[in-house]
Every structure is written in structure tokens, then in C-alpha cells.
Amino acid sequence: MRFRILFLILSLGALASAFARQNTPKTPTLAKAFERDFLIGAALGGQTLLGEDAISAPVLGHFNAFTAENAMKPDATQPQEGVFRFEQADKLVEIARKQNATVVGHTLIWHSQTPRWFFEGPDNKPATRELALQRMRTRIATLVGRYKGRIAQWDVVNEAISDGGDDMLRQSPWRTAIGDDYIAEAFRAAHAADPKATLIYNDYSIENPGKREKTLKLLKSLRDQNVPVHAVGIQGHWGLDYPDLATIESALTDFGKLGLKVMITELDVSVLPTRYRGADVGVRQERDAAMDPYVAGLPEAVARQQAERYRAIFALLRRHRDVVDRVTFWGVHDGQSWKNNFPIRGRTDYPLLFDRQGKPKPAFFELNALPAAARQQPAANTQ
Ligand code: G3I
């Protein structure tokens, strides 16, 4: 008898909790919320790849694309000539495979985080064009070849456009060693190693008119030479009040007109004051208390302002979903964002959708509800 009562109580309990589950409004994953629009990605840092970031792990299911924040860069994969390291890169590919997510390779050719040996010849002389080209091709063939069929998209050349002045190209050591055609050669090598991969030119601040013009010029010239470039990556290291939406929109339109897909490759929305709006890793500024106002926590009003800013950005990106293929956040939670150390070291920023405990912020809920809300509105041209 006692067992029957216990059984009855347990069954009723199970029923009640199933009922409660059914009636709890479900928050879909971000990837699911935007599945009709574009991929939703995140960059994973070293700690996450090593399994040492208990805060990111539970929320990775929100993303259906992953980029290595540092693990596939030249210094991580090729510390010395002839030595390749893929432990962390392999982990990223494995994490993505387990949840059927797209992998983005970042980055093949960049001026930063690239060991000096790439550019040194015998007797400490600068490497000749031939030697530097051969090293570039070896790097690209080895990485793209290793992950052929598993890495669908590559940031082939990163940040090659100059920020100011009349020069179109940055004085990258690759450019010094090889010449201006290092960009075309890099894309050709990547395409030869995996003809099915989507190849991206990736840069920051290229939504802004001056740098955008230069980027359009570069991309047109590559297209005219039949160089295989398929997409442009607008990094998207943005703030609460910059860039304005009209600037982003005209950039999407301009790049789209070239027949290129656009990826937002490194999105974050800093809430801190700044005197520098770019993402040149060489820039450093001094810290003072006025520049670091939220050490004790993010005020609710600022969190709401950030949520509204994210909503406006995503509403715009959704309107251009014919051009935009992927939106990737540069990190998972505020605690491990690079923005805590850029352009001023040691600040407390809050640029992402999950807080330092891994809890979703107002910006997360705003984005999560956006596609469903938009679908409930009548289409613009119907009565
Ligand atoms: O590898 C060392 C490690 O050995 C050491 O223990 C540790 C101590 O600080 O530093 C490690 O290196 C750091 C590296 O990240 C890996 O954590 C560097 O100091 C740090 O400068 C480096 O920062 C990265 C930055 O690129 C470097 O260029 C950021 O995490 C990464 O988010 C950032 O990402 C770039 C994109 O690749 C391109 N676009 C701009 C974006 C932001 O700068």
C-alpha cells in the first residue's frame, strides 16, 4: 500500500513537472531564432578550447558557427619554420563537429601575431619575394589542406587596407616582402587548397566611407583579375553610438552590389568611453578612472541602451539578409572579451550578450525575440 501511494505521488510529480515544462515559454537558441536569416557565430578563446572556461561551455549551443579567437593564427600554428601546432585548432573543429556548426578559419595572412621568421632570409637579410611567397603558400596549403571539407570559410587576408592617408594598402611585412600582389596570391593559394571553401577578405572600420572606398577598390581589382574572393568580413568592433546605422547600411549595399556576401565577423558593442574607434592591435592608450566607469557593475540603464543598440543593428542586418551570411560575436561572455584590454589595458567592459557569470543580458533577450516579433508585424506593402 505504502509503495502504491509513493508511486502515485511520484507519478503526479512527474506529470506536474512535464506540464510546467510545456507551459514555460521556451527561449530558442540564438542560432534557431535567426535560422532563416544568417549563421550566428562566436569566437572561442584558448581557455574555452582547453575546456577551462566553465562559463562559456553551457551557452555554446546558442551558436552555429565558431571562429578561433587566436588558435589558428600564425604564431599559434607556426612558432618556427617547419613546426606546425594544431592541438587547439583541432579542438575548435571538434567542438563545432559535435554540434554540427560551421567552422571559420582565422586567419591565414595578417601583419600581426606573425613570427618574424616568416620574413627573414639567410644571414639575417630580409626574405626574398620567392622565399616569402613559398612560406605563405606552405602555410596556406597546410592549414586549408588539413581542414579541407571541415573548415567551410577562411579569413584569408586580414586587415590589409591602410587606415589613413592616400595609401590603399597597409605596410604589412607581407607586402614589404612579396609586393602588393601578396593578397591575390594568398586567395589563389587558398582556393587551390580547397576549391569549395568560402574565402573572405576581413577588416575593421571598412563600413566607414574612407576605408570602405579603398576596400571596394581592392575587391574590384581582385575581381577583375579573377581572384577567388567570395565575401567581405566587416569586423564590427562597435560602440553604443558608432558607427551610425546609415553608415553600416550603405556599406552592406555597396559590398552587396559587388556580388560579394558580407559576414559580420567580430561583433561586439563596447559600453565604455573611447578616444579610438578602430581595432588596430598596435594602438594603446593610458587608463584613467574616467575612462573606466563601470568597474563595480553595468548600470541597468546602460545595459538597456546596449540592448536597444544590438536590436537596431540586428534589425538592419536582417533587412539585408540576402547579403549578410553570418554574424559572429568576438567572444562568448564579457569576462573574456579582448575589449577589457583594448585600447586601454585592464578596464571592465561589457560588450557581449552573456555576463561574467554566463547569464544572458538584456541584449540577449532583445535579439532572441527579434525575429519572432518581426514576423508578427504585417509586411510593409500589404494593406
Ligand atoms: O599567448 C600568450 C600567452 O602565452 C600568455 O600567457 C598570455 C598572457 O597575457 O598572453 C598570450 O597572448 C595574448 C593572446 O591574445 C592570446 O591570449 C596576447 O598577449 C594578446 O595580445 C592577444 O590578443 C588577441 C589580439 O587579437 C592580438 O592581436 C585577442 O585575444 C584577440 O581577440 C584579438 O583578435 C583580433 C582579431 O584576430 C583580428 N581583428 C581584431 C581583433 C581584436 O584585436
Side-chain angles (χ1 to χ4, degrees):
M1 184 63 184
R2 247 196 284 154
F3 281 121
R4 271 205 207 150
I5 292 173
L6 187 66
F7 179 72
L8 199 70
I9 290 172
L10 285 176
S11 310
L12 281 174
L15 255 176
S17 83
F19 184 75
R21 267 201 308 276
Q22 261 183 16
N23 285 283
T24 307
K26 259 202 171 164
T27 314
T29 65
L30 273 183
K32 179 86 186 148
F34 287 93
E35 70 181 345
R36 298 192 206 170
D37 306 313
F38 30 67
L39 294 174
I40 298 285
L44 304 187
Q47 281 181 313
T48 311
L49 299 179
L50 293 171
E52 292 167 4
D53 181 4
I55 293 166
S56 292
V59 298
L60 295 187
H62 281 289
F63 305 100
N64 54 7
F66 291 111
T67 308
E69 187 176 355
N70 289 296
M72 293 187 191
K73 289 174 177 172
D75 58 352
T77 45
Q78 292 182 265
Q80 296 154 35
E81 184 151 37
V83 175
F84 285 92
R85 295 225 174 108
F86 292 116
E87 295 87 343
Q88 285 195 28
D90 285 352
K91 289 206 168 125
L92 180 94
V93 175
E94 183 56 16
I95 289 173
R97 190 192 60 79
K98 283 194 185 142
Q99 59 182 78
N100 206 12
T102 298
V103 187
V104 183
H106 173 87
T107 177
L108 292 170
I109 300 300
W110 192 22
H111 64 276
S112 179
Q113 284 180 286
T114 303
R116 282 187 24 207
W117 67 257
F118 275 97
F119 312 108
E120 281 168 0
D123 307 324
N124 290 330
K125 292 210 180 94
T128 59
R129 169 178 161 88
E130 286 64 36
L131 183 57
L133 251 181
Q134 175 231 306
R135 285 171 175 162
M136 184 172 90
R137 288 179 179 143
T138 301
R139 167 166 177 76
I140 293 176
T142 307
L143 271 81
V144 179
R146 178 185 179 86
Y147 297 110
K148 185 175 179 180
R150 293 187 290 161
I151 292 192
Q153 307 182 0
W154 279 98
D155 288 338
V156 178
V157 176
N158 205 36
E159 302 171 7
I161 303 286
S162 73
D163 281 320
D166 295 335
D167 263 6
M168 183 164 91
L169 297 183
R170 174 194 293 276
Q171 201 45 49
S172 155
W174 287 111
R175 183 182 178 206
T176 309
I178 296 175
D180 290 1
D181 64 340
Y182 85 92
I183 301 173
E185 290 300 329
F187 279 96
R188 289 192 179 113
H191 188 62
D194 185 355
K196 290 195 178 145
T198 297
L199 305 183
I200 305 167
Y201 174 74
N202 187 47
D203 212 330
Y204 62 86
S205 300
I206 56 172
E207 63 280 5
N208 297 330
K211 207 167 167 184
R212 189 199 316 162
E213 283 313 312
K214 293 182 186 179
T215 311
L216 286 164
K217 206 164 149 194
L218 170 71
L219 293 169
K220 271 185 202 144
S221 117
L222 292 172
R223 195 193 51 191
D224 293 348
Q225 301 166 66
N226 288 323
V227 175
V229 184
H230 309 117
V232 58
I234 298 178
Q235 291 186 3
H237 294 297
W238 293 335
L240 291 176
D241 59 355
Y242 68 89
D244 58 50
L245 293 175
T247 300
I248 302 173
E249 181 151 39
S250 45
L252 297 177
T253 310
D254 283 355
F255 290 128
K257 275 193 209 143
L258 270 190
L260 294 169
K261 290 292 177 193
V262 175
M263 319 282 186
I264 307 297
T265 50
E266 305 183 13
L267 183 60
D268 38 35
V269 173
S270 171
V271 300
L272 296 183
T274 190
R275 292 183 286 261
Y276 174 67
R277 295 180 167 189
D280 188 330
V281 291
V283 172
R284 285 277 158 233
Q285 292 180 343
E286 286 303 304
R287 185 182 177 283
D288 63 61
M291 297 301 280
D292 193 13
Y294 308 129
V295 178
L298 182 63
E300 209 175 311
V302 183
R304 287 265 16 116
Q305 199 187 342
Q306 183 187 46
E308 175 49 34
R309 171 78 171 148
Y310 263 120
R311 192 200 60 73
I313 291 171
F314 271 72
L316 171 66
L317 297 175
R318 279 191 84 242
R319 281 210 303 283
H320 291 272
R321 59 182 174 273
D322 53 329
V323 173
V324 179
D325 256 17
R326 167 169 59 88
V327 181
T328 289
F329 293 89
W330 203 241
V332 175
H333 66 87
D334 288 340
Q336 33 97 296
S337 165
W338 77 296
K339 291 298 295 183
N340 293 306
N341 289 304
F342 185 88
I344 298 172
R345 278 194 197 280
R347 293 197 297 175
T348 307
D349 205 344
Y350 303 80
L352 297 166
L353 302 187
F354 295 91
D355 72 13
R356 284 169 165 74
Q357 281 74 48
K359 287 211 297 287
K361 293 160 61 184
F364 169 88
F365 291 109
E366 199 65 58
L367 292 192
N368 201 278
L370 178 70
R375 275 192 281 277
Q376 276 155 21
Q377 279 161 17
N381 291 329
T382 51
Q383 290 264 297

